[in-house]
């Protein structure tokens, strides 16, 4: 609308808009008295986001971090998403326990479903509300075996017809219905794919595959189309080698659907 180039600071702005709405229950800009786009842009330029209702246990500094990301001038915003996350994490009142570190940041509605999994090949579906703690020290949700790490949590927009595509570092790929995975409040979860963690095998890639969508294997600079039907199987099985076992698995990408 303003004929300005996009970029990282535009992504920062979009993220802060979403987070503001999630935390305060209102969009930062746009009121009933701003019925037109021009009126809303004027409110944005005036830098007067709506306050909404702030959760009682949220530090005021969080609001300040978001306001910086909502600045009218891109040069006044955080320089990167890493800078936003760093500012948010530093605003927390307590440091993580000894030996712990922050790895992921989730935003969601109470009834949203998420897929949580470890690189040892176990996982489960949970509601976002089940992840919320009642105190500042947080809440233990995922039980990780020694040496395991939590993979990036995946939001489940609509579970109907969804399948899980999981690939091991050995090159094996397995695709199975999301419905085969239980919904839990916490725990280790169920086996997604058969791995040998004691031999160094790990989950190399994990994604959600909508009905009718294609799958692309990322292997270095190569992008290889995967024949999904060749990798269908029951949850917890070994799967089938992708690319004849000659392709290193760097990632999986959904195509179409």
């Amino acid at each position: 609308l303003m004929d300005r180039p996009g970029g990282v600071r535009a992504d920062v702005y979009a993220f802060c808009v979403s987070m503001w709405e999630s935390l305060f229950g209102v969009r930062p800009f746009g009121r009933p008295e701003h019925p037109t786009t021009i009126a809303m842009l004027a409110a944005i330029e005036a830098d007067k986001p709506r306050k909404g209702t702030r959760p009682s246990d949220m530090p005021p500094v969080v609001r300040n971090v978001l306001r910086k990301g909502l600045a009218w001038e891109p040069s006044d915003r955080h320089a990167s998403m890493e800078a936003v996350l760093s500012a948010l994490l530093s605003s927390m009142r307590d440091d993580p326990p000894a030996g712990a570190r922050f790895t992921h940041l989730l935003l969601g509605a109470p009834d949203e479903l998420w897929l949580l999994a470890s690189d040892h090949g176990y996982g489960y579906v949970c509601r976002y509300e089940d992840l919320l703690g009642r105190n500042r020290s947080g809440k233990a949700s995922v039980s990780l075996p020694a040496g395991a790490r939590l993979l990036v949590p995946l939001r489940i927009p609509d579970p109907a017809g969804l399948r899980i595509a999981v690939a091991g570092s050995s090159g094996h790929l397995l695709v199975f219905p999301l419905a085969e995975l239980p919904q839990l409040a916490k725990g280790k979860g169920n086996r997604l794919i058969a791995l040998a963690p004691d031999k160094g095998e790990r989950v190399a890639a994990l994604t959600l595959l909508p009905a009718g969508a294609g799958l692309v294997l990322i292997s270095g600079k190569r992008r290889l189309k995967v024949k999904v039907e060749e990798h269908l199987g029951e949850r917890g099985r070994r799967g089938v080698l992708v690319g004849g076992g000659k392709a290193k698995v760097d990632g999986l990408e959904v195509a179409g659907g």
Side-chain angles (χ1 to χ4, degrees), residues 141-162:
S141 297
V142 183
S143 300
L144 295 174
R149 66 180 181 85
L150 181 67
L151 299 175
V152 176
L154 300 178
R155 188 175 68 87
I156 303 172
D158 182 0
L162 273 182

Side-chain angles (χ1 to χ4, degrees), residues 20-254:
W20 187 283
E21 186 172 1
S22 297
L23 292 175
F24 292 98
V26 295
R27 293 181 180 179
F29 303 104
R31 303 177 173 85
E33 62 268 28
H34 300 149
T36 66
T37 300
I38 296 300
M40 184 176 67
L41 288 175
I44 295 174
E45 186 174 13
D47 189 26
K48 294 180 179 180
R50 302 167 71 187
K51 293 183 178 181
T53 302
R54 179 172 62 85
S56 59
D57 59 347
M58 187 179 74
V61 68
V62 172
R63 183 173 183 272
N64 296 332
V65 171
L66 296 181
R67 285 205 61 168
K68 179 177 176 67
L70 294 170
W72 171 257
E73 291 295 338
S75 59
D76 293 333
R77 301 171 194 159
H78 303 279
S80 65
M81 282 303 304
E82 289 77 9
V84 178
L85 297 180
S86 176
L88 288 173
L89 293 176
S90 65
S91 71
M92 294 183 177
R93 299 174 184 176
D94 298 315
D95 292 328
R101 61 191 179 92
F102 298 110
T103 59
H104 308 294
L105 175 65
L106 279 66
L107 292 175
D111 290 329
E112 278 186 348
L113 297 178
W114 289 76
L115 172 60
L116 303 180
S118 74
D119 65 348
H120 277 202
Y122 286 80
Y124 63 93
V125 174
C126 76
R127 296 169 65 243
Y128 181 80
E129 188 173 35
D130 292 329
L131 300 173
L132 303 180
R134 295 180 179 277
N135 53 59
R136 293 178 298 177
S137 61
K139 177 181 179 180
S141 297
V142 183
S143 300
L144 295 174
R149 66 180 181 85
L150 181 67
L151 299 175
V152 176
L154 300 178
R155 188 175 68 87
I156 303 172
D158 182 0
L162 273 182
R163 291 177 289 186
I164 294 176
V166 54
S169 55
S170 61
H172 290 81
L173 172 65
L174 178 66
V175 179
F176 62 90
L178 174 68
E180 293 185 7
L181 205 59
Q183 182 174 326
L184 305 172
K186 61 179 181 179
K188 178 180 178 180
N190 287 18
R191 177 182 288 176
L192 306 179
I193 186 173
L195 300 175
D198 57 326
K199 296 182 180 179
E201 291 185 1
R202 296 290 188 271
V203 171
L206 176 71
T207 192
L208 292 171
L209 191 63
L215 191 63
V216 174
L217 170 71
I218 310 299
S219 181
K221 295 182 179 180
R222 297 188 297 165
R223 297 168 58 84
L224 309 175
K225 186 176 180 180
V226 176
K227 294 182 178 180
V228 176
E229 62 274 9
E230 295 181 356
H231 299 274
L232 297 176
E234 296 179 3
R235 177 189 58 76
R237 296 298 180 91
R238 181 69 167 168
V240 177
L241 282 172
V242 64
K246 299 179 180 179
K248 179 178 179 292
V249 180
D250 291 317
L252 292 171
E253 187 175 284
V254 175

